[in-house]
Amino acid sequence: MAPYENKTKATDVSAEEFIANVEHPVRRADAETLDLMYRRITGQGPVMWGPTMVGYGHHHFEYDSGHSGDAFAAGFSPRKASLTIYGAHLQPEAPALLERLGKHRLGKSCLYVNTLADVDLAVLEELIATGYRYVTEDLNQAQT
């Protein structure tokens, strides 16, 4: 089997510059708020993954199939249609928190929010914190 290679990789692009250049003013302000929130929660600075994902921390994963790789532990993307928040709803605490979050949609590994004004920021912060802890501590312990 050929080695698995992640399509999305960390880049040298400045996350701060990327956020500052988000075209829509509300989306840019929300991205700035999320950046500060993620920095506070993770203790990590932002790194761009691919052209549009802002990631914090690091996670090495390995599947039963033998595929392994590296990804950010928590992150977001200020897309035109909505804010995409990665990995904040996969942990055991997520269902109860999502009931209190406010207006959102779920994807397989993404949480979609139109604007931060639509959600309870304290609940979002708890989702991000528990999701980050789940990826960096719980999953890492399970893999060892």
Side-chain angles (χ1 to χ4, degrees), residues 55-105:
Y56 301 81
H58 175 263
H59 170 64
H60 181 77
F61 60 88
E62 188 166 332
Y63 298 124
D64 291 339
S65 66
H67 291 180
S68 65
D70 296 294
F72 54 85
F76 71 94
S77 181
R79 301 190 187 271
K80 286 185 181 185
S82 61
L83 295 167
T84 304
I85 300 169
Y86 300 98
H89 74 286
L90 304 175
Q91 68 279 18
E93 301 90 346
L97 291 168
L98 289 168
E99 288 180 15
R100 301 183 0 240
L101 180 60
K103 186 178 175 184
H104 69 278
R105 295 180 326 279

Side-chain angles (χ1 to χ4, degrees), residues 6-87:
N6 287 353
K7 292 179 184 176
T8 304
K9 298 178 183 181
T11 71
D12 292 331
V13 173
S14 164
E16 291 87 349
E17 190 173 314
F18 168 74
I19 291 169
N21 288 310
V22 171
E23 191 172 327
H24 192 279
V26 172
R27 189 74 71 232
R28 182 174 51 252
D30 284 351
E32 290 167 349
T33 298
L34 284 172
D35 178 43
L36 293 174
M37 186 183 294
Y38 275 93
R39 287 172 188 257
R40 185 174 61 255
I41 291 167
T42 67
Q44 304 289 320
V47 173
M48 290 302 298
W49 286 73
T52 63
M53 292 184 277
V54 184
Y56 301 81
H58 175 263
H59 170 64
H60 181 77
F61 60 88
E62 188 166 332
Y63 298 124
D64 291 339
S65 66
H67 291 180
S68 65
D70 296 294
F72 54 85
F76 71 94
S77 181
R79 301 190 187 271
K80 286 185 181 185
S82 61
L83 295 167
T84 304
I85 300 169
Y86 300 98

